[in-house]
Amino acid sequence: MTIDELIAAASDRLTPVERRIAEAILADPTLLAFGTVSDLAQKVGSSRPSIVRFGVKLGFQGYADMREHARRSVSAKLSRPSQRIRQQDSSLGRATAALTEAIRGLLDKIGSEQLSTLGAPMVSANHVWILSGETSRAGAHAMFSGLTMVRPNVHLITEHSSGRDLSGAAPGDAAIVFDFARYRRHTVTAARSAVDLGVHLVAITDGPLSPYAAMTETWCALDIPAIGPFDSSVPSVAIAEMLVAYVARQLQDEARSRIDRTEALWQATEIYWE
Amino acid sequence: MTIDELIAAASDRLTPVERRIAEAILADPTLLAFGTVSDLAQKVGSSRPSIVRFGVKLGFQGYADMREHARRSVSAKLSRPSQRIRQQDSSLGRATAALTEAIRGLLDKIGSEQLSTLGAPMVSANHVWILSGETSRAGAHAMFSGLTMVRPNVHLITEHSSGRDLSGAAPGDAAIVFDFARYRRHTVTAARSAVDLGVHLVAITDGPLSPYAAMTETWCALDIPAIGPFDSSVPSVAIAEMLVAYVARQLQDEARSRIDRTEALWQATEIYWE
DNA sequence: AGGCGAATGTAACGGATTGGACATTCTCGA
DNA sequence: TCGAGAATGTCCAATCCGTTACATTCGCCT
């Protein structure tokens, strides 16, 4: 059992000071492995016996016992790199490798200037309409959830009501579509309609042969790795978050005050635990 | 200069006992970082002053000084990956570096065996209930969208109707929750209710101090990087997809036939473009 | 063989560390 | 407002650590 797990098991029985101790240990595991009781006490602004009692509460015989445990786990981590190689061909290893490669590809394929090109319409638009196919809905959702936090008039178009929802679109608006092969008929036609209405379309798709590439100049291609039997939506989510970050940076104070208002509202309605 | 290099530089001036000390340190670097003078003396079969003199010969002021040096190099090895993030300075670069690191962290923190532990309940459960907070909804959505493709009776619980929706839950079911600090009150209580109903809870959260860690043994902690002003949901989505892949692999033919049926249905309804 | 210097171990001391007994403060409820 | 019990801090004793001074042993050269 690791220290983390022991802390987790006791987390609901911890006193305030003990909770601070736990946080310090979790934030920097070397504190426990290297530090003395006095070091920890000073770090958390508490007294030495509190540290010792914390160790006892976790099931150790004393601080020395707990430190010994922490040292063993650090030793294990230090010797693990050789084991990591072995995991490389496990399915988990392959999945993370594919995802890492996909994320790295984002940086290669999409420079900072292209990020601005893609993001600009969402800064200046009156309304932003978000479209997506089934498999890429996670990206659209991330986009929607983030964008509503930093600017008004953001609409997520569900497939069932695309015709009705888009009827309010007009020139000066922007639409962003997430869709990859095989493209959804509904999504393609919705995007087409948006363009016909004079909306500036931004497309996150998978290549020049995508139907969306023909509709707009502002599009980008992502490499979509497969995780198990399905395509990953990680690249979609990643670029959605980067675009949101870009829009937030451009809108500056406007975005910040909007975030603050939402935060205040959430606090007031006690939406958070603790 | 590392300890190894210092030893190499002084190797031709070492006495027999000092040579044995050097060998012991090179064989197990943690001896220096963790051990006391007495520990080393006993390990080498020598006396304490010999250890101290060895440190002085290497250029340190004493044993304490040498040990401090060893500890710093151990800390550096443990924390080097996270420091790499900060070296990038374009916002796009920082974002991709943070995401890459987060993905790599998945492999570190979650071994193949833990993936099985987390995924097993979703293979055998009668019903699977998916819960999530606001920021982590993308992960929940990826989970839902993937899981419905490979097995029946998957339910996504929206915040507004959690009480009503969960009423059908029963022992033999599994629930998976995606939620991170600050935790959503609704989600915490919903998870609690599920546990009380005898449902096996799987929690994707952010650390041992999470309220979910106290509710179940099957949980994992993710490192959540920030992209712009918001927390990223990329790690959630990634682990959701890995879990879906795991479930699909376990269910084998059952999953495949289900995917095929869905595909056929989609083809028949001409849901795809082209 | 004897003596000299390096190498190593023994002993002692000041300081730091841990763990526990005791006192104080805080918190919650009657 | 008061009191009981938990939480936390202060203080102390026993131990252990690192360091240094001193004694002993070992090896080599004359």
Side-chain angles (χ1 to χ4, degrees):
Chain A
M1 234 188 179
T2 73
I3 296 280
D4 286 17
E5 289 169 344
L6 287 173
I7 291 179
S11 68
D12 50 352
R13 293 184 295 116
L14 293 182
T15 68
V17 171
E18 289 170 341
R19 185 161 287 262
R20 289 216 311 275
I21 298 172
E23 285 164 0
I25 290 176
L26 294 174
D28 180 7
T30 63
L31 260 182
L32 233 186
F34 293 146
T36 66
V37 172
S38 310
D39 293 337
L40 256 174
Q42 192 179 7
K43 184 82 176 182
V44 302
S46 169
S47 69
R48 296 194 285 272
S50 295
I51 308 292
V52 175
R53 280 190 288 261
F54 175 80
V56 173
K57 202 169 211 172
L58 255 52
F60 297 103
Q61 286 206 316
Y63 181 78
D65 190 21
M66 177 166 61
R67 181 174 56 190
E68 200 49 40
H69 192 94
R71 287 182 173 180
R72 269 196 291 275
S73 80
V74 167
S75 303
K77 272 184 190 165
L78 282 176
S79 61
R80 194 193 286 168
S82 53
Q83 294 179 344
R84 266 190 219 142
I85 298 174
R86 249 177 277 149
Q87 291 182 345
Q88 203 60 29
D89 65 345
S90 74
S91 66
L92 185 61
R94 260 183 295 130
T96 54
L99 290 180
T100 304
E101 188 56 30
I103 299 288
R104 212 180 54 75
L106 284 180
L107 186 56
D108 289 348
K109 297 186 125 185
I110 300 163
S112 296
E113 69 290 344
Q114 190 176 5
L115 193 70
S116 344
T117 308
L118 294 170
M122 279 169 283
V123 174
S124 54
N126 297 323
H127 289 257
V128 177
W129 309 86
I130 301 174
L131 313 169
S132 85
E134 168 65 24
T135 51
S136 44
R137 194 167 292 171
H141 211 289
M143 183 96 229
F144 176 70
S145 153
L147 211 53
T148 48
M149 288 289 287
V150 298
R151 59 153 294 160
N153 301 324
V154 181
H155 313 275
L156 182 63
I157 308 291
T158 64
E159 196 162 88
H160 312 89
S161 55
S162 54
R164 191 178 62 218
D165 286 347
L166 257 180
S167 60
D173 291 357
I176 180 164
V177 59
F178 294 79
D179 200 13
F180 307 89
R182 296 161 295 170
Y183 316 99
R184 281 281 178 129
R185 175 178 300 274
H186 270 104
T187 313
V188 175
T189 56
R192 174 91 265 160
S193 313
V195 171
D196 291 344
L197 285 168
V199 172
H200 188 159
L201 182 69
V202 177
I204 312 297
T205 184
D206 58 355
L209 294 179
S210 157
Y212 305 102
M215 295 183 200
T216 176
E217 305 251 309
T218 45
W219 62 276
C220 74
L222 303 183
D223 283 331
I224 306 295
I227 305 292
F230 303 119
D231 288 342
S232 173
S233 41
V234 162
S236 305
V237 172
I239 196 158
E241 291 177 344
M242 291 176 190
L243 284 170
V244 168
Y246 170 82
V247 173
R249 204 162 53 241
Q250 296 302 116
L251 291 179
Q252 285 277 51
D253 297 337
E254 188 185 333
R256 190 175 315 141
S257 70
R258 190 177 173 84
I259 294 175
D260 290 344
R261 283 201 306 275
T262 311
E263 276 292 324
L265 188 65
W266 283 356
Q267 287 290 353
T269 54
E270 292 185 343
I271 208 162
Y272 293 119
W273 182 77
E274 280 190 341
Chain B
M1 236 189 178
T2 75
I3 298 281
D4 288 17
E5 291 168 343
L6 287 173
I7 291 178
S11 65
D12 52 350
R13 295 184 293 116
L14 293 181
T15 67
V17 173
E18 288 170 344
R19 188 163 292 268
R20 290 216 310 278
I21 298 172
E23 286 165 2
I25 290 176
L26 293 175
D28 180 6
T30 63
L31 261 182
L32 235 185
F34 294 145
T36 68
V37 174
S38 310
D39 293 337
L40 257 174
Q42 192 179 5
K43 185 83 177 183
V44 179
S46 166
S47 67
R48 293 197 288 271
S50 296
I51 308 294
V52 176
R53 280 191 286 261
F54 176 80
V56 173
K57 202 168 209 172
L58 255 52
F60 297 102
Q61 285 206 318
Y63 181 78
D65 191 21
M66 176 166 61
R67 179 174 58 189
E68 200 49 42
H69 189 92
R71 287 183 173 180
R72 267 196 295 273
S73 78
V74 166
S75 300
K77 272 183 191 164
L78 286 175
S79 66
R80 193 181 296 159
S82 54
Q83 289 180 345
R84 243 185 266 147
I85 293 174
R86 300 193 192 98
Q87 292 176 351
Q88 309 262 1
D89 66 348
S90 85
S91 66
L92 186 61
R94 255 183 300 134
T96 54
L99 291 179
T100 305
E101 187 56 31
I103 299 290
R104 210 186 55 75
L106 285 180
L107 186 57
D108 281 354
K109 295 187 124 185
I110 300 162
S112 299
E113 68 290 346
Q114 189 176 5
L115 192 71
S116 335
T117 308
L118 294 171
M122 279 168 282
V123 175
S124 54
N126 297 324
H127 289 256
V128 177
W129 310 86
I130 303 176
L131 313 169
S132 85
E134 168 67 24
T135 51
S136 44
R137 194 166 292 170
H141 210 289
M143 184 95 231
F144 177 70
S145 148
L147 212 52
T148 47
M149 290 290 287
V150 298
R151 59 155 293 160
N153 302 324
V154 181
H155 314 273
L156 182 63
I157 308 291
T158 64
E159 195 163 90
H160 311 89
S161 54
S162 54
R164 192 179 61 221
D165 286 350
L166 257 180
S167 59
D173 291 359
I176 180 163
V177 58
F178 294 79
D179 200 12
F180 307 90
R182 297 161 296 170
Y183 316 98
R184 281 282 179 130
R185 177 180 299 274
H186 270 103
T187 314
V188 174
T189 55
R192 175 92 264 162
S193 313
V195 171
D196 291 342
L197 285 170
V199 173
H200 188 159
L201 182 68
V202 177
I204 311 297
T205 184
D206 58 357
L209 293 179
S210 157
Y212 304 103
M215 295 184 199
T216 176
E217 306 249 311
T218 45
W219 62 276
C220 74
L222 303 184
D223 281 331
I224 306 295
I227 305 293
F230 304 118
D231 288 342
S232 173
S233 40
V234 162
S236 307
V237 172
I239 195 158
E241 291 176 345
M242 291 175 187
L243 285 171
V244 168
Y246 170 82
V247 173
R249 202 163 56 245
Q250 296 302 114
L251 291 178
Q252 285 279 50
D253 298 337
E254 189 184 335
R256 189 176 315 140
S257 70
R258 190 175 172 86
I259 294 174
D260 290 345
R261 284 200 307 276
T262 311
E263 276 293 323
L265 189 64
W266 283 357
Q267 288 290 352
T269 53
E270 293 185 342
I271 211 166
Y272 293 121
W273 182 77
E274 281 186 342

